């Protein structure tokens, strides 16, 4: 081994966080250097003098050098302490720049919220939630894209939405979820339809074999209905929104299966009539969804909390 190797000493290993004082300790050292008093530095940082003394001693043990000479007349830096203080200024300045940058990222994140939701949730639940969110975050611009559950998943996975809401049977691949509400599907017809005058509940088999006014493939409503009945007859009409399906049913075009959330007004005004069904449970969970491993933050987190209020 050469003389240079002997003088270099053992290699320093291990995580950097174990070898470098934390920011709180470095800020304390800078305050001592500026004020010339450990007590004054403690007061400025809002800690007790014993806590400040303990933090300085811990930093000295960590670095292996004395940093501060204490006396009744005050505290002054040792030669090593003055050198460490110069390094500390650079570290604290870099940390302040890091904090400014992180704050800018948070402001950019919080300035907008992109929501994708399946039709029933978009039309009948989200408006109330978004009004409540606006009261909390008036400066956040919200955009809402309504589509079926498949489209919601696609937008989330393509980073075109921050939070989604779906009403299908299962969670699309690549997404995490939380159940936010429960919904019931009901069979409805116009008052003049033959089913509106039935005395006995509709059998599940008859519902499955009857052409219905349906949402398009990929919609949560159609997925739940198809799975519950074990298959569906060819649609009487296939439409791309809950509102369109409801309007067709009101016009007398045929029976439809819709969310209970969507037909409250039509049922109360007798524009639509509910048709009881036996032998099948037409219920479903409504879920908030987001990309796996990316729990909602900022406005998306706040909106998610409002859905559970």
């Amino acid at each position: 081994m050469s003389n240079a190797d002997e003088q270099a000493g053992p290699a320093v290993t291990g995580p950097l966080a174990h070898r470098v004082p934390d920011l709180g300790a470095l800020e304390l050292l800078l305050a001592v250097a500026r004020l010339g008093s450990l007590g004054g530095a403690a007061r400025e940082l809002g800690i007790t003098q014993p806590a400040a003394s303990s933090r300085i001693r811990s930093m000295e043990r960590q670095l292996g050098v004395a940093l501060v000479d204490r006396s009744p007349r005050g505290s002054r830096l040792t030669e090593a302490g003055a050198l460490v203080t110069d390094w500390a200024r650079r570290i604290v300045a870099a940390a302040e720049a890091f904090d400014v940058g992180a704050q800018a990222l948070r402001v950019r994140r919080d300035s907008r919220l992109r929501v994708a939701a399946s039709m029933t949730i978009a039309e009948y639940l989200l408006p109330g939630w978004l009004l409540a969110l606006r009261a909390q975050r008036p400066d956040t611009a919200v955009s809402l894209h309504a589509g079926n559950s498949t489209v919601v998943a696609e937008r989330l996975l393509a980073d075109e939405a921050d939070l989604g809401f779906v009403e299908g049977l299962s969670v699309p691949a690549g997404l995490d979820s939380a159940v936010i509400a429960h919904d019931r599907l009901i069979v409805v017809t116009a008052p003049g339809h033959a089913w509106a005058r039935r005395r006995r509940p509709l059998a599940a088999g008859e519902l499955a074999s009857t052409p219905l006014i349906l949402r398009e493939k990929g919609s949560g409503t159609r997925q739940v209905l198809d799975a519950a009945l074990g298959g569906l007859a060819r649609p009487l009409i296939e439409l791309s929104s809950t509102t369109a399906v409801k309007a067709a049913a009101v016009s007398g075009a045929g029976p439809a299966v819709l969310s209970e959330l969507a037909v409250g007004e039509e049922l109360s005004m007798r524009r639509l009539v509910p048709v009881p069904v036996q032998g099948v449970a037409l219920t479903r969970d409504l879920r908030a969804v987001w990309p796996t491993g990316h729990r909602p933050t900022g406005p998306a987190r706040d909106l998610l909390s409002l859905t559970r209020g």
Side-chain angles (χ1 to χ4, degrees), residues 113-274:
L113 173 62
R114 303 166 300 166
V115 181
S118 53
M119 300 300 295
T120 300
I121 297 174
E123 292 179 320
Y124 301 100
L125 292 176
L126 261 171
W129 297 337
L130 293 179
L131 281 174
L133 179 68
R134 183 169 180 77
Q136 290 185 7
R137 290 182 172 269
D139 297 327
T140 297
V142 180
S143 62
L144 170 61
H145 181 90
N148 63 39
S149 296
T150 300
V151 170
V152 171
E154 290 171 352
R155 292 186 72 87
L156 284 166
L157 295 174
D159 193 28
E160 295 173 352
D162 305 304
L163 185 64
F165 297 93
V166 297
E167 53 203 51
L169 281 172
S170 58
V171 180
L175 301 180
D176 288 337
S177 73
V179 175
I180 56 168
H182 304 283
D183 187 26
R184 186 168 71 99
L185 301 179
I186 59 175
V187 180
V188 292
T189 68
H193 191 276
W195 282 4
R197 298 185 293 274
R198 292 180 65 99
R199 294 187 177 181
R200 281 188 270 178
L202 189 66
E206 186 177 357
L207 179 61
S209 63
T210 300
L212 303 170
I213 304 169
L214 292 174
R215 285 283 308 280
E216 79 286 1
K217 289 183 179 179
S219 77
T221 299
R222 185 158 172 175
Q223 289 174 8
V224 171
L225 184 61
D226 193 2
L229 297 176
L232 295 169
R234 183 176 179 178
L236 178 66
I237 310 173
E238 191 173 79
L239 299 168
S240 62
S241 76
T242 300
T243 300
V245 171
K246 185 166 57 172
V250 168
S251 73
V257 180
L258 289 165
S259 164
E260 195 171 31
L261 295 168
V263 294
E265 182 179 348
E266 287 74 18
L267 293 177
S268 65
M269 297 178 66
R270 293 287 296 174
R271 297 170 64 195
L272 288 174
V273 177

Side-chain angles (χ1 to χ4, degrees), residues 271-284:
R271 297 170 64 195
L272 288 174
V273 177
V275 181
V277 182
Q278 65 181 9
V280 63
L282 298 177
T283 58
R284 61 182 176 177

